[in-house]
Amino acid sequence: MAIITGIAIILIILLIIIIGILVIPFQISMELYREGSINQGYLKIKWIGIRFINRKIDIGSSKKKKEKKKDKTNKFDFKRIPKIITLLEESLPYLMNIFKAFLKSITIKRISLDSIIGFDDFVDTVKVSGYLWAIAPMINLLPNTYFSVEPDFHKERIDGSFLFKLKIKLLPVATAFLKALTKKPFRSLLSELRKVRA
């Protein structure tokens, strides 16, 4: 009896955790920097104050990464592409439902882009900066969005930083995905995508 009670308590705790993961939103933030030859950033994912991911992002591929990508592309089975395209067309309504659920489940907290641009020609710097300054007020009308441009008349450069912070609830996406799984075309599409690199 004690064992059954213990198992029941564990199952209840697991159920509460699963419900919490689906209902309580995750907080996702990403920031990217570019200054000269330095290209890096970070990715953070938190849930109820618990940090799941805190990863530094190094932008730029090494030779090893390129070799790995080449190996992967060589394994790609191109003969399956026509069937995948057909299944994509048949699964489009279900994919759209998942995409709509995703859009509804996210709340944008902040998006900002700060850029510094400069060209060899002073006139080009003025022109491009002017165009971007004209666009900036329209972009900044969007909620929680900020865009700025700073010209550099001394050297040629395109630097800056990009930041976005959002909240996402998994329940709407999970519900739409499970509904899509009940449809044969969507299941067949997932199956083909798994086989495509075999």
Side-chain angles (χ1 to χ4, degrees):
M1 188 68 181
I3 295 173
I4 295 172
T5 305
I7 293 172
I9 291 170
I10 291 170
L11 289 174
I12 290 169
I13 291 170
L14 287 173
L15 183 62
I16 291 170
I17 292 170
I18 292 169
I19 292 171
I21 288 172
L22 291 173
V23 175
I24 300 172
F26 283 77
Q27 296 179 347
I28 302 172
S29 63
M30 176 183 280
E31 189 160 3
L32 303 173
Y33 304 92
R34 173 181 167 81
E35 186 174 353
S37 59
I38 300 171
N39 299 282
Q40 62 183 26
Y42 69 81
L43 172 66
K44 294 180 181 179
I45 299 177
K46 293 194 297 182
W47 181 70
I48 57 170
I50 302 169
R51 188 171 292 175
F52 285 97
I53 294 176
N54 186 11
R55 184 173 297 172
K56 185 179 178 182
I57 302 169
D58 290 315
I59 303 166
S61 57
S62 63
K63 289 181 180 179
K64 289 182 180 179
K65 287 181 181 178
K66 287 180 180 178
E67 286 173 4
K68 285 181 181 179
K69 285 181 182 178
K70 285 180 182 178
D71 291 339
K72 287 181 180 179
T73 51
N74 289 337
K75 293 177 183 178
F76 192 87
D77 188 357
F78 289 97
K79 292 178 181 178
R80 295 186 180 273
I81 289 177
K83 189 173 181 179
I84 289 173
I85 291 172
T86 302
L87 289 170
L88 273 171
E89 291 175 355
E90 293 175 0
S91 303
L92 191 58
Y94 319 122
L95 292 170
M96 287 302 298
N97 288 338
I98 294 171
F99 181 66
K100 288 175 184 177
F102 173 76
L103 291 179
K104 288 179 181 178
S105 67
I106 62 172
T107 303
I108 295 173
K109 305 299 291 181
R110 181 175 175 82
I111 297 177
S112 65
L113 175 61
D114 300 304
S115 57
I116 305 170
I117 60 169
F119 300 98
D120 285 336
D121 192 335
F122 177 89
V123 175
D124 289 339
T125 303
V126 172
K127 281 183 179 179
V128 174
S129 299
Y131 293 143
L132 294 175
W133 279 334
I135 296 169
M138 292 182 283
I139 295 174
N140 292 335
L141 287 173
L142 298 170
N144 305 318
T145 304
Y146 179 75
F147 175 58
S148 70
V149 182
E150 179 185 338
D152 187 337
F153 300 110
H154 303 289
K155 63 178 180 178
E156 187 176 8
R157 63 186 294 199
I158 298 178
D159 296 328
S161 64
F162 173 73
L163 167 70
F164 82 79
K165 293 182 178 181
L166 59 85
K167 287 183 177 181
I168 179 168
K169 286 183 181 179
L170 296 183
L171 183 60
V173 181
T175 303
F177 184 81
L178 290 173
K179 284 182 179 177
L181 275 179
T182 64
K183 309 300 180 182
K184 187 178 178 181
F186 185 74
R187 293 197 305 271
S188 300
L189 175 63
L190 294 181
S191 178
E192 282 300 315
L193 291 174
R194 283 196 298 266
K195 294 175 184 175
V196 77
R197 291 181 181 275

